[in-house]
Amino acid sequence: MPAFSYSTAATQTAVPPALALPVIEKEFPRQLHPYWPTLQETTRAWLLKMGLMPADKVERYADGLCYTDLMAGYYLGAPVEVLQAIADYSAWFFVWDDRHDRDVVHRRDAAWARLRDCLHAALDAPWRHLQHEDALVAAFADSMIRLYSFLGESWNARFAAHFHEVIEAYDNEYRNRTTGRIPAVTEYLELRRLTFAHWIWLDLLEPAAHHEIPRSVLENPAYRKAGLACQDFAAWYNDLCSLPKELAGDEYHNLGISLIKHEGMTLEDAVTEVRRRVNGCISEFLAAEQEVAVLIGELRDGTWRGEPLADAVALNISNMRNWFSSVYWFHHESGRYQVDSWADRSTPPYISDQGERPGSAGIR
């Protein structure tokens, strides 16, 4: 039986009524960076070069997973070399997420701990890990060297600090899943902001805009609210769309699952509640967007510092807006969420899941 029944509405792609958000389809026009077709080809080649996916999986599934579509719909205005580095890093992130899942499923505790520690080390000294025996670590090092080349040391340090937190959050999730622990809603929401890497995707707005944003703007309540709203939307909409997949795979980290377990909701009620929160993110962003417009006006003071900063903030808030439509359509086009088409609903067909020896190259 299908996880969600699909509508026949004449939209860009069929969206199940339970997942449809008319406000996104009407008020958040979808855009793609003009480099996207080349981006898709180049990231596909990078996945092969770095050994992150077997050649047959790349050939059959890489384009259909739409990883480059997601990034090309978000970081508009980014220089080509920046967008390419972000897209490759994003593809790596999805592969890492799959490895983490397979390590949980096969209870590869030692392998996961080794990978966790290697990623921490590669984050701080990527040049030392370019030839690492684990393809996932070597590809991560390659991504970090490229991302660290665009802005200054302060941005690099901030990005690294944020990703160290992401790695630890994945470790937290590993322990939860291997002990059968479903976090309560409040705890889950805090953890989700880390496992979804909210601050990482917001940090990457800055090299895309060719401008590091000062702390005074990053901590501005309106700017911060807009950023959190777009990222919470993405994380919670992902939870909504991936709920059937994660129930099938005995996953414990999903807002809907926490609501069912700890709030006593039925599946139907949990879906309704997650939708309510998702729509709340849209309203939060629209209000914050207007407040950021005022901030941009204040920054645009005619000085040699103020004007470029105002332009960068304007591009960043525009790209935060793009995240809504990019995330929305990604979830209905990517093969990552087409659970009804899988032979085994608990095992995605785009991964190699043969219980390989820990540390070997390729997706687990």
Side-chain angles (χ1 to χ4, degrees), residues 269-290:
D269 288 342
V271 168
T272 299
E273 174 60 14
V274 176
R275 277 186 60 93
R276 185 189 69 80
R277 292 176 184 244
V278 164
N279 278 298
C281 291
I282 300 171
S283 299
E284 280 280 313
F285 177 80
L286 291 173
E289 186 179 39
Q290 297 303 310

Side-chain angles (χ1 to χ4, degrees), residues 96-116 165-183 187 191 195 250-253 358 364:
W96 177 47
D97 186 73
D98 291 332
R99 168 84 71 88
H100 176 268
D101 178 69
R102 295 297 98 185
D103 280 350
V104 169
V105 169
H106 296 296
R107 289 302 303 266
R108 298 193 287 242
D109 296 356
W112 165 251
R114 181 167 54 249
L115 176 59
R116 176 200 63 208
E165 292 180 335
V166 171
I167 296 169
E168 286 304 303
Y170 264 73
D171 191 52
N172 187 344
E173 182 174 307
Y174 187 95
R175 292 193 302 273
N176 285 342
R177 289 184 63 188
T178 53
T179 59
R181 180 176 179 274
I182 299 175
E187 179 190 351
L191 181 63
T195 58
D250 293 324
E251 170 63 85
Y252 300 139
H253 293 80
R364 303 302 194 273

Side-chain angles (χ1 to χ4, degrees), residues 74 158 199 201-206 209 211-231 284-285 287-293 295-296 299 309-320:
Y74 187 18
R158 169 157 48 92
W199 305 115
W201 306 119
L202 294 173
D203 286 340
L204 290 171
L205 290 167
E206 297 169 60
H211 201 295
E212 184 173 345
I213 302 299
R215 183 179 297 275
S216 59
V217 174
L218 293 175
E219 295 180 352
N220 177 276
Y223 188 87
R224 182 181 174 87
K225 184 166 68 172
L228 283 175
C230 78
Q231 294 302 308
E284 280 280 313
F285 177 80
E289 186 179 39
Q290 297 303 310
E291 297 171 18
V292 174
L295 171 64
I296 293 169
L299 295 172
L309 177 57
D311 289 342
V313 172
L315 179 59
N316 289 359
I317 192 68
S318 175
N319 281 338
M320 290 178 194

Side-chain angles (χ1 to χ4, degrees), residues 4-220:
F4 295 108
S5 60
Y6 280 77
S7 71
T8 56
T11 57
Q12 297 180 61
T13 191
V15 178
L19 303 177
L21 298 174
V23 66
I24 296 296
E25 298 182 25
K26 295 177 182 177
E27 304 298 332
F28 290 78
R30 188 183 194 185
Q31 303 182 72
L32 280 175
H33 195 290
Y35 183 65
W36 171 74
T38 304
L39 184 72
Q40 186 180 53
E41 295 174 7
T42 310
T43 294
R44 189 193 316 127
W46 185 79
L47 288 168
L48 278 173
K49 174 186 174 183
M50 303 307 297
L52 291 176
M53 292 180 73
D56 63 324
K57 299 288 187 181
V58 171
E59 177 67 25
R60 186 170 182 181
Y61 297 110
D63 290 353
L65 290 170
C66 301
Y67 296 158
T68 54
D69 302 41
L70 180 63
M71 294 297 110
Y74 187 18
Y75 296 100
L76 271 74
V80 165
E81 64 275 12
V82 174
L83 183 62
Q84 187 66 66
I86 292 173
D88 291 349
Y89 167 72
S90 171
W92 173 89
F93 202 113
F94 281 111
V95 174
W96 177 47
D97 186 73
D98 291 332
R99 168 84 71 88
H100 176 268
D101 178 69
R102 295 297 98 185
D103 280 350
V104 169
V105 169
H106 296 296
R107 289 302 303 266
R108 298 193 287 242
D109 296 356
W112 165 251
R114 181 167 54 249
L115 176 59
R116 176 200 63 208
D117 293 345
C118 286
L119 292 179
H120 277 304
L123 187 57
D124 290 332
W127 58 91
R128 296 178 182 170
H129 296 79
L130 288 172
Q131 304 302 320
H132 198 280
E133 63 179 3
D134 188 332
L136 198 67
V137 176
F140 179 67
D142 178 82
S143 288
M144 290 305 99
I145 287 174
R146 292 157 69 194
L147 292 175
Y148 285 162
S149 71
F150 299 125
L151 295 176
E153 289 300 319
S154 61
W155 184 90
N156 293 351
R158 169 157 48 92
F159 183 94
H162 285 156
F163 202 75
H164 279 303
E165 292 180 335
V166 171
I167 296 169
E168 286 304 303
Y170 264 73
D171 191 52
N172 187 344
E173 182 174 307
Y174 187 95
R175 292 193 302 273
N176 285 342
R177 289 184 63 188
T178 53
T179 59
R181 180 176 179 274
I182 299 175
V185 173
T186 300
E187 179 190 351
Y188 171 76
L189 293 177
E190 294 176 359
L191 181 63
R192 186 62 165 140
R193 284 183 172 177
L194 295 174
T195 58
F196 196 81
H198 280 30
W199 305 115
I200 293 299
W201 306 119
L202 294 173
D203 286 340
L204 290 171
L205 290 167
E206 297 169 60
H210 253 321
H211 201 295
E212 184 173 345
I213 302 299
R215 183 179 297 275
S216 59
V217 174
L218 293 175
E219 295 180 352
N220 177 276

